[in-house]
Amino acid sequence: ETGVTQSPTHLIKTRGQQVTLRCSSQSGHNTVSWYQQALGQGPQFIFQYYREEENGRGNFPPRFSGLQFPNYSSELNVNALELDDSALYLCASSPDGASYEQYFGPGTRLTVT
Amino acid sequence: AQKVTQAQTEISVVEKEDVTLDCVYETRDTTYYLFWYKQPPSGELVFLIRRNSFDEQNEISGRYSWNFQKSTSSFNFTITASQVVDSAVYFCALSGYSSASKIIFGSGTRLSIRP
């Protein structure tokens, strides 16, 4: 148990739709990172937020966006869903000054049809 | 650029055998962290170990041991006397030392332990 929760567990969407995935970080952790894990691959870094500001971004298009709230919750939004967006989405929270120390949630499995 | 290579896509051994998972990394950073994670079929990433680049001492934790060799940029993971419960996908990963670091994962090694 890492103390990081994600919702929903599973989600099925249609191509072109929009989706919001949610993450609740450990209390006191002001950094949250999001990763996409396609089937058979390792997680790929999407972006990181620190105190409600984006603090780094991987090689993902702007239709992937995020929000972080003061209550240690955060969201990953994906617009104009594509079939290739089907993946496990993981969030991870980190204590201040130690973003290498990441506590992962159980993930949300998104299927786009 | 940072990169982690796990050349072994899948490994299958019989229970009680020893097995080593290989990991080779690339980074221009002089200070960095290396990790191993386990991902069982449930999908959650389970943290196993973090080593910083200053510490090349090998580490043993029960049946698990890790061999870090900076000279060859390798961070290999050995399971001694494997058990069926060790079956999972194992990821080697790399992170910078700064406060805004992301973790770069390898592609994973799927380990199957046969009874």
Side-chain angles (χ1 to χ4, degrees), chain A residues 2-65:
Chain A
T2 63
V4 179
T5 59
Q6 292 186 244
S7 63
T9 306
H10 295 89
L11 199 54
I12 300 175
K13 288 286 190 178
T14 303
R15 189 172 50 184
Q17 286 187 316
Q18 178 265 343
V19 69
T20 297
L21 310 182
R22 293 180 173 83
C23 173
S24 180
S25 301
Q26 275 196 26
S27 181
H29 284 189
N30 292 300
T31 300
V32 65
S33 305
W34 285 89
Y35 294 81
Q36 179 197 66
Q37 186 180 13
L39 197 61
Q41 298 181 22
Q44 301 285 316
F45 175 73
I46 302 174
F47 45 54
Q48 185 179 91
Y49 277 76
Y50 174 69
R51 294 187 183 270
E52 303 163 53
E53 297 283 335
E54 189 177 290
N55 193 32
R57 190 177 184 91
N59 194 23
F60 281 81
R63 59 188 185 84
F64 285 78
S65 63

Side-chain angles (χ1 to χ4, degrees), chain B residues 19 21 36-38 46-49 58-67 76-83 85-88 90 111:
Chain B
V19 58
L21 308 183
W36 276 94
Y37 286 87
K38 173 182 180 180
V46 178
F47 169 82
L48 296 178
I49 189 173
N58 291 332
E59 181 156 341
I60 298 174
S61 176
R63 296 184 296 106
Y64 295 171
S65 63
W66 291 270
N67 182 283
N76 296 337
F77 173 31
T78 297
I79 302 175
T80 302
S82 60
Q83 299 176 3
V85 294
D86 296 327
S87 297
Y90 289 86
L111 177 63

Side-chain angles (χ1 to χ4, degrees), chain B residues 25 29-32 52-56 67-75:
Chain B
Y25 63 92
D29 293 343
T30 53
T31 54
Y32 48 89
N52 71 50
S53 51
F54 295 137
D55 185 2
E56 286 194 69
N67 182 283
F68 175 29
Q69 293 198 350
K70 216 167 176 178
S71 60
T72 56
S73 298
S74 65
F75 186 44

